[in-house]
mmCIF file of all heavy atoms in Angstrom:
data_model
loop_
_atom_site.group_PDB
_atom_site.id
_atom_site.type_symbol
_atom_site.label_atom_id
_atom_site.label_comp_id
_atom_site.label_asym_id
_atom_site.label_seq_id
_atom_site.Cartn_x
_atom_site.Cartn_y
_atom_site.Cartn_z
ATOM 1 N N GLU C 31 74.939 57.489 -77.571
ATOM 2 C CA GLU C 31 75.376 58.742 -78.200
ATOM 3 C C GLU C 31 74.702 59.943 -77.542
ATOM 4 O O GLU C 31 75.292 60.988 -77.340
ATOM 5 C CB GLU C 31 75.008 58.706 -79.699
ATOM 6 C CG GLU C 31 76.131 59.063 -80.650
ATOM 7 C CD GLU C 31 75.698 59.000 -82.124
ATOM 8 O OE1 GLU C 31 75.151 57.974 -82.565
ATOM 9 O OE2 GLU C 31 75.905 60.032 -82.792
ATOM 10 N N ALA C 32 73.420 59.763 -77.148
ATOM 11 C CA ALA C 32 72.660 60.882 -76.568
ATOM 12 C C ALA C 32 72.766 60.919 -75.048
ATOM 13 O O ALA C 32 72.181 61.779 -74.393
ATOM 14 C CB ALA C 32 71.196 60.759 -76.987
ATOM 15 N N GLY C 33 73.497 59.949 -74.483
ATOM 16 C CA GLY C 33 73.687 59.952 -73.029
ATOM 17 C C GLY C 33 72.414 59.729 -72.234
ATOM 18 O O GLY C 33 72.224 60.267 -71.150
ATOM 19 N N MET C 34 71.496 58.881 -72.791
ATOM 20 C CA MET C 34 70.210 58.667 -72.108
ATOM 21 C C MET C 34 70.347 57.739 -70.902
ATOM 22 O O MET C 34 69.467 57.677 -70.061
ATOM 23 C CB MET C 34 69.192 58.063 -73.084
ATOM 24 C CG MET C 34 68.827 58.929 -74.265
ATOM 25 S SD MET C 34 68.171 60.548 -73.804
ATOM 26 C CE MET C 34 66.541 60.077 -73.189
ATOM 27 N N GLY C 35 71.441 56.949 -70.857
ATOM 28 C CA GLY C 35 71.588 56.008 -69.748
ATOM 29 C C GLY C 35 70.685 54.804 -69.886
ATOM 30 O O GLY C 35 70.423 54.063 -68.934
ATOM 31 N N TRP C 36 70.146 54.564 -71.112
ATOM 32 C CA TRP C 36 69.302 53.393 -71.359
ATOM 33 C C TRP C 36 70.091 52.342 -72.128
ATOM 34 O O TRP C 36 70.978 52.668 -72.939
ATOM 35 C CB TRP C 36 68.082 53.763 -72.215
ATOM 36 C CG TRP C 36 67.154 54.805 -71.662
ATOM 37 C CD1 TRP C 36 67.039 55.188 -70.355
ATOM 38 C CD2 TRP C 36 66.214 55.580 -72.418
ATOM 39 N NE1 TRP C 36 66.082 56.176 -70.245
ATOM 40 C CE2 TRP C 36 65.543 56.427 -71.493
ATOM 41 C CE3 TRP C 36 65.851 55.633 -73.768
ATOM 42 C CZ2 TRP C 36 64.548 57.323 -71.886
ATOM 43 C CZ3 TRP C 36 64.859 56.528 -74.163
ATOM 44 C CH2 TRP C 36 64.223 57.365 -73.223
ATOM 45 N N HIS C 37 69.778 51.062 -71.880
ATOM 46 C CA HIS C 37 70.316 49.969 -72.696
ATOM 47 C C HIS C 37 69.281 48.853 -72.732
ATOM 48 O O HIS C 37 68.873 48.352 -71.671
ATOM 49 C CB HIS C 37 71.638 49.440 -72.125
ATOM 50 C CG HIS C 37 72.244 48.362 -72.998
ATOM 51 N ND1 HIS C 37 73.075 48.658 -74.065
ATOM 52 C CD2 HIS C 37 72.086 47.005 -72.991
ATOM 53 C CE1 HIS C 37 73.414 47.516 -74.670
ATOM 54 N NE2 HIS C 37 72.824 46.504 -74.034
ATOM 55 N N TRP C 38 68.803 48.535 -73.925
ATOM 56 C CA TRP C 38 67.810 47.475 -74.075
ATOM 57 C C TRP C 38 68.523 46.148 -74.297
ATOM 58 O O TRP C 38 69.407 46.038 -75.177
ATOM 59 C CB TRP C 38 66.901 47.767 -75.269
ATOM 60 C CG TRP C 38 65.963 48.931 -75.084
ATOM 61 C CD1 TRP C 38 65.655 49.556 -73.909
ATOM 62 C CD2 TRP C 38 65.212 49.607 -76.108
ATOM 63 N NE1 TRP C 38 64.772 50.584 -74.145
ATOM 64 C CE2 TRP C 38 64.477 50.631 -75.476
ATOM 65 C CE3 TRP C 38 65.075 49.433 -77.491
ATOM 66 C CZ2 TRP C 38 63.618 51.490 -76.182
ATOM 67 C CZ3 TRP C 38 64.229 50.287 -78.199
ATOM 68 C CH2 TRP C 38 63.516 51.301 -77.547
ATOM 69 N N ASP C 39 68.175 45.102 -73.523
ATOM 70 C CA ASP C 39 68.711 43.769 -73.817
ATOM 71 C C ASP C 39 67.693 43.003 -74.666
ATOM 72 O O ASP C 39 66.578 43.494 -74.918
ATOM 73 C CB ASP C 39 69.074 43.018 -72.517
ATOM 74 C CG ASP C 39 67.856 42.797 -71.615
ATOM 75 O OD1 ASP C 39 66.712 42.849 -72.139
ATOM 76 O OD2 ASP C 39 68.056 42.588 -70.399
ATOM 77 N N VAL C 40 68.043 41.794 -75.087
ATOM 78 C CA VAL C 40 67.177 41.049 -76.019
ATOM 79 C C VAL C 40 65.808 40.731 -75.410
ATOM 80 O O VAL C 40 64.769 41.000 -76.047
ATOM 81 C CB VAL C 40 67.885 39.767 -76.525
ATOM 82 C CG1 VAL C 40 66.925 38.855 -77.280
ATOM 83 C CG2 VAL C 40 69.059 40.158 -77.429
ATOM 84 N N PRO C 41 65.743 40.217 -74.168
ATOM 85 C CA PRO C 41 64.401 39.944 -73.610
ATOM 86 C C PRO C 41 63.532 41.206 -73.542
ATOM 87 O O PRO C 41 62.348 41.184 -73.875
ATOM 88 C CB PRO C 41 64.707 39.388 -72.216
ATOM 89 C CG PRO C 41 66.095 38.854 -72.300
ATOM 90 C CD PRO C 41 66.808 39.754 -73.263
ATOM 91 N N GLN C 42 64.155 42.338 -73.162
ATOM 92 C CA GLN C 42 63.390 43.593 -73.052
ATOM 93 C C GLN C 42 62.935 44.045 -74.439
ATOM 94 O O GLN C 42 61.781 44.447 -74.623
ATOM 95 C CB GLN C 42 64.286 44.653 -72.428
ATOM 96 C CG GLN C 42 63.613 45.982 -72.145
ATOM 97 C CD GLN C 42 64.585 46.954 -71.472
ATOM 98 O OE1 GLN C 42 65.797 46.730 -71.432
ATOM 99 N NE2 GLN C 42 64.053 48.029 -70.921
ATOM 100 N N TYR C 43 63.834 43.956 -75.421
ATOM 101 C CA TYR C 43 63.476 44.382 -76.782
ATOM 102 C C TYR C 43 62.404 43.465 -77.367
ATOM 103 O O TYR C 43 61.503 43.922 -78.064
ATOM 104 C CB TYR C 43 64.716 44.391 -77.687
ATOM 105 C CG TYR C 43 64.462 45.058 -79.027
ATOM 106 C CD1 TYR C 43 64.128 46.416 -79.105
ATOM 107 C CD2 TYR C 43 64.524 44.346 -80.220
ATOM 108 C CE1 TYR C 43 63.887 47.038 -80.317
ATOM 109 C CE2 TYR C 43 64.275 44.957 -81.442
ATOM 110 C CZ TYR C 43 63.963 46.292 -81.493
ATOM 111 O OH TYR C 43 63.704 46.908 -82.690
ATOM 112 N N THR C 44 62.473 42.184 -77.054
ATOM 113 C CA THR C 44 61.448 41.244 -77.530
ATOM 114 C C THR C 44 60.070 41.691 -77.049
ATOM 115 O O THR C 44 59.098 41.675 -77.795
ATOM 116 C CB THR C 44 61.767 39.815 -77.025
ATOM 117 O OG1 THR C 44 63.060 39.449 -77.507
ATOM 118 C CG2 THR C 44 60.727 38.813 -77.513
ATOM 119 N N ARG C 45 60.007 42.169 -75.813
ATOM 120 C CA ARG C 45 58.724 42.676 -75.276
ATOM 121 C C ARG C 45 58.370 44.019 -75.928
ATOM 122 O O ARG C 45 57.233 44.262 -76.323
ATOM 123 C CB ARG C 45 58.808 42.843 -73.753
ATOM 124 C CG ARG C 45 58.925 41.546 -72.970
ATOM 125 C CD ARG C 45 58.741 41.761 -71.460
ATOM 126 N NE ARG C 45 59.786 42.617 -70.894
ATOM 127 C CZ ARG C 45 60.995 42.174 -70.502
ATOM 128 N NH1 ARG C 45 61.298 40.888 -70.667
ATOM 129 N NH2 ARG C 45 61.903 42.995 -70.008
ATOM 130 N N LEU C 46 59.376 44.861 -76.118
ATOM 131 C CA LEU C 46 59.136 46.194 -76.703
ATOM 132 C C LEU C 46 58.678 46.097 -78.161
ATOM 133 O O LEU C 46 58.026 47.014 -78.676
ATOM 134 C CB LEU C 46 60.402 47.046 -76.609
ATOM 135 C CG LEU C 46 60.724 47.615 -75.223
ATOM 136 C CD1 LEU C 46 62.139 48.183 -75.184
ATOM 137 C CD2 LEU C 46 59.706 48.699 -74.842
ATOM 138 N N LEU C 47 58.969 44.993 -78.814
ATOM 139 C CA LEU C 47 58.549 44.841 -80.219
ATOM 140 C C LEU C 47 57.030 44.717 -80.339
ATOM 141 O O LEU C 47 56.480 44.774 -81.435
ATOM 142 C CB LEU C 47 59.234 43.618 -80.862
ATOM 143 C CG LEU C 47 60.622 43.894 -81.424
ATOM 144 C CD1 LEU C 47 61.299 42.605 -81.860
ATOM 145 C CD2 LEU C 47 60.555 44.873 -82.591
ATOM 146 N N ASP C 48 56.347 44.573 -79.197
ATOM 147 C CA ASP C 48 54.873 44.622 -79.248
ATOM 148 C C ASP C 48 54.395 46.012 -79.677
ATOM 149 O O ASP C 48 53.256 46.188 -80.094
ATOM 150 C CB ASP C 48 54.267 44.279 -77.880
ATOM 151 C CG ASP C 48 54.417 42.791 -77.552
ATOM 152 O OD1 ASP C 48 54.751 42.024 -78.484
ATOM 153 O OD2 ASP C 48 54.224 42.415 -76.385
ATOM 154 N N ILE C 49 55.288 46.995 -79.547
ATOM 155 C CA ILE C 49 54.970 48.366 -79.980
ATOM 156 C C ILE C 49 55.570 48.561 -81.378
ATOM 157 O O ILE C 49 56.803 48.573 -81.520
ATOM 158 C CB ILE C 49 55.586 49.424 -79.024
ATOM 159 C CG1 ILE C 49 55.253 49.110 -77.567
ATOM 160 C CG2 ILE C 49 55.141 50.834 -79.428
ATOM 161 C CD1 ILE C 49 53.795 49.244 -77.213
#
Side-chain angles (χ1 to χ4, degrees):
E31 230 180 308
M34 297 303 288
W36 301 340
H37 183 87
W38 290 346
D39 61 21
V40 170
Q42 185 178 13
Y43 190 63
T44 301
R45 292 191 297 276
L46 284 168
L47 275 172
D48 288 347
I49 310 293

